[in-house]
């Protein structure tokens, strides 16, 4: 959080003024650039009080003004906006996917500094993944990212994420070690992709030690859902189902305009809905989950050319494989939609790059299995933020700028208590 440039000590009036200053700074941090009129509506401060507070913040450099570029201006006097000083703080988002690390950074003025991605082997040790993330961060903006200006780091990981507390060695950690592929050689614990709660806590502690700022951790597919529902494919929609078809299959739910986390952080595990009761064993321990037929690895196994996703996406002969996958995905999504009642379904992940060859069968199965009353109410869309969606969602988690995070837990892994959630007003994104 940006600290005030000139805090005043004293009695009730001084404390009230500090409260007004903090309110204005927090609104700009949450929502990015705002006009004075928008700031007045959101803060509910009188025009005189707001003018006084904004003038002081402009004078001490905490807030700066900007006007639209000439190409963006409409007729009439250009509307001046207020924003936090770009140099006052930065936020980094990291997505530790199964086979890649994605990073993105913005400043507190909500300007994108840069993003970067690098693939890696699935068995890359834990410490090496963090080192890779640091190298990618160093490369952002041509190496000009000022780590000393960081105000927070958001992190996406694979698998369920419960309450992140220091030293939390939950049952998930013990169970994950027994799963196929867990506890890889050279790791202090299971790799992030294996869903071990204790390991993710270690990751959060390690990142906080390296960067010296708060670190918030959540499921990366759920964060991708947050990003799509905040900025892109589903921006402004109140009820959204997001499904990511990648090396794992996961998702996120927006219910009533708020991102849904679920008890113990278990919401959005759409990939573990059973589609073939006698099918292959899944990493979760069950058989025949959607992930066993619709993950990248499973689809490539069926295709017969392992580790060659570009060939599959470019091969017209793969239409039969994608059709079968699409029918499974559409049937599962219809069941979720019948239970949740969303207006929008967003499909993302590497397999979504297949386009109509996959989305066509998904839409056919979705329509066939939806209740007739719902068929014209559900809009299937393709995700637009690509592979950096999880990292951008991690940034939104730190900024707490989105109405989608109303009542959403925010836990610092170095504390044993949960911070009270921010309660921004519920308003659609522009």
């Amino acid at each position: 959080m940006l600290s005030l440039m000139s805090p005043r000590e004293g009695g009730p009036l001084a404390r009230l003024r500090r409260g007004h200053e903090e309110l204005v700074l927090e609104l700009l941090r949450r929502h990015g650039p705002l006009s004075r009129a928008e700031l007045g509506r959101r803060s509910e401060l009188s025009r005189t009080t707001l003018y006084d507070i904004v003038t002081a913040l402009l004078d001490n450099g905490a807030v700066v003004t900007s006007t639209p570029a000439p190409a963006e201006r409409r007729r009439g006097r250009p509307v001046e906006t207020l924003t936090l000083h770009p140099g006052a703080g930065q936020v980094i988002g990291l997505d530790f996917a199964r086979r890649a690390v994605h990073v993105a950074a913005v400043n507190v003025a909500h300007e994108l500094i840069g993003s970067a991605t690098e693939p890696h082997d699935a068995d890359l040790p834990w410490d090496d993944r963090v080192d890779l993330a640091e190298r990618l961060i160093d490369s952002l903006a041509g190496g000009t990212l000022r780590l000393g200006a960081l105000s927070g780091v958001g992190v996406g990981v694979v698998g369920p994420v419960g309450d992140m507390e220091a030293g939390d060695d939950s049952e998930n950690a013990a169970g994950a070690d027994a799963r196929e592929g867990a506890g890889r050689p050279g790791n202090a614990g299971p790799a992030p992709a294996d869903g071990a709660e204790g390991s993710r806590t270690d990751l959060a502690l390690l990142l906080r030690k390296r960067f010296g700022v708060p670190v918030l951790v959540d499921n990366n597919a759920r964060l991708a859902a947050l990003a799509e529902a905040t900025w892109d494919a589903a921006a402004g929609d109140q009820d959204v189902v997001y499904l990511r078809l990648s090396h794992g299959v996961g998702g996120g739910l927006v219910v009533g305009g708020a991102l849904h986390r679920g008890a113990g952080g278990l919401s959005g595990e759409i990939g573990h809905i059973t589609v073939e009761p006698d099918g292959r064993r899944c990493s979760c321990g069950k058989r025949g989950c959607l992930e066993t037929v619709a993950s990248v690895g499973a689809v490539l196994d069926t295709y017969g050319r392992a580790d060659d996703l570009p060939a599959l996406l470019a091969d017209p002969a793969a239409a039969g494989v994608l059709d079968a996958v699409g029918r499974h995905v559409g049937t599962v999504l219809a069941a979720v939609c019948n239970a949740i009642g969303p207006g929008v379904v967003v499909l993302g992940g590497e397999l979504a790059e297949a386009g109509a060859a996959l989305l066509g069968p998904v839409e056919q199965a979705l329509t066939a299995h939806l209740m007739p009353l719902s068929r014209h109410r559900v809009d299937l869309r393709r995700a637009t933020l690509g592979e950096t969606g999880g990292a951008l969602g991690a940034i939104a988690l730190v900024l707490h700028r989105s109405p989608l995070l109303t009542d959403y837990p925010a836990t610092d892994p170095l504390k044993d208590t949960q911070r009270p959630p921010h309660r921004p007003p519920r308003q659609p994104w522009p």
Side-chain angles (χ1 to χ4, degrees):
M1 175 66 188
L2 180 71
S3 61
L4 300 181
M5 300 295 288
S6 56
R8 296 172 172 83
E9 304 297 333
L13 291 179
R15 290 195 296 271
L16 179 63
R17 181 183 179 85
R18 286 201 302 275
H20 290 161
E21 290 176 332
E22 290 168 357
L23 172 61
V24 170
L25 291 172
E26 180 63 15
L27 286 170
L28 293 174
R29 183 174 189 264
R30 238 185 249 158
H31 300 286
L34 295 173
S35 68
R36 282 177 168 81
E38 291 171 327
L39 199 53
R41 286 194 298 269
R42 293 177 186 272
S43 68
E44 299 182 349
L45 296 174
S46 70
R47 292 182 65 179
T48 301
T49 299
L50 181 63
Y51 178 85
D52 187 31
I53 296 299
V54 168
T55 298
L57 293 174
L58 287 169
D59 287 344
N60 64 30
V63 171
V64 296
T65 61
S66 63
T67 55
E72 299 173 356
R73 292 180 186 173
R74 299 179 180 179
R75 289 184 178 180
R77 185 177 179 181
V79 177
E80 183 181 73
T81 60
L82 302 167
T83 185
L84 295 183
H85 193 291
Q90 298 167 344
V91 177
I92 288 176
L94 307 175
D95 180 1
F96 289 96
R98 292 179 188 267
R99 297 170 182 264
V101 175
H102 313 287
V103 305
V106 303
N107 59 35
V108 293
H110 290 206
E111 298 169 342
L112 181 65
I113 297 171
S115 62
T117 294
E118 186 168 325
H120 58 68
D121 293 336
D123 60 354
L124 185 70
W126 182 281
D127 289 340
D128 290 347
R129 296 183 190 215
V130 175
D131 291 341
L132 173 57
E134 285 198 279
R135 290 198 299 273
L136 290 175
I137 290 169
D138 289 341
S139 73
L140 295 181
T144 62
L145 186 68
R146 297 186 300 109
L147 297 182
L150 279 183
S151 59
V153 174
V155 181
V157 294
V158 175
V161 177
D163 293 332
M164 301 300 296
E165 297 179 356
D168 178 16
D169 229 357
S170 67
E171 293 179 3
N172 287 341
D177 281 333
R179 297 177 192 159
E180 182 180 355
R184 293 185 168 80
N187 283 0
D194 297 318
E197 185 84 10
S199 296
R200 286 194 296 269
T201 303
D202 293 341
L203 172 63
L205 294 172
L206 176 60
L207 289 171
R208 176 151 188 181
K209 182 178 179 181
R210 293 197 184 187
F211 293 112
V213 294
V215 176
L216 298 179
V217 181
D218 208 328
N219 172 268
N220 62 352
R222 195 156 55 224
L223 291 178
L226 171 61
E228 294 288 349
T230 299
W231 289 300
D232 260 276
D237 291 289
Q238 295 291 296
D239 297 283
V240 180
V241 171
Y242 170 85
L243 182 65
R244 186 188 220 178
L245 302 176
S246 183
H247 294 282
V249 176
L253 304 175
V254 175
V255 180
L259 188 65
H260 182 61
R261 187 169 185 270
L266 294 175
S267 174
E269 293 295 333
I270 301 171
H272 297 292
I273 295 176
T274 302
V275 295
E276 295 179 340
D278 298 322
R280 287 181 286 185
R281 186 171 295 280
C282 181
S283 61
C284 74
K286 302 194 294 96
R287 286 190 178 276
C289 295
L290 179 63
E291 186 168 296
T292 67
V293 299
S295 65
V296 169
V299 174
L300 289 176
D301 285 346
T302 303
Y303 179 57
R305 296 176 64 177
D307 297 325
D308 198 355
L309 182 60
L312 180 143
L313 297 178
D315 186 359
V321 174
L322 294 173
D323 182 79
V325 172
R327 283 187 280 108
H328 278 307
V329 170
T331 301
V332 167
L333 285 173
V336 175
C337 289
N338 286 334
I340 303 299
V344 176
V345 173
V346 179
L347 197 62
E350 290 92 327
L351 280 181
E353 298 298 320
L358 177 68
L359 269 68
V362 170
E363 187 166 26
Q364 291 173 11
L366 177 64
T367 301
H369 292 283
L370 279 173
M371 293 187 299
L373 186 63
S374 302
R375 287 172 184 166
H376 71 286
R377 301 176 182 271
V378 179
D379 184 13
L380 177 65
R381 302 174 188 173
R382 182 171 160 184
T384 56
L385 292 175
E387 58 192 6
T388 60
L392 292 171
I395 287 173
L397 185 67
V398 174
L399 288 174
H400 285 273
R401 59 177 292 200
S402 171
L404 293 164
L405 290 171
T406 299
D407 299 323
Y408 198 78
T411 306
D412 187 323
L414 288 188
K415 299 182 182 295
D416 58 5
T417 57
Q418 184 173 288
R419 297 196 303 274
H422 292 272
R423 297 180 184 275
R426 293 177 183 267
Q427 299 182 41
W429 281 87

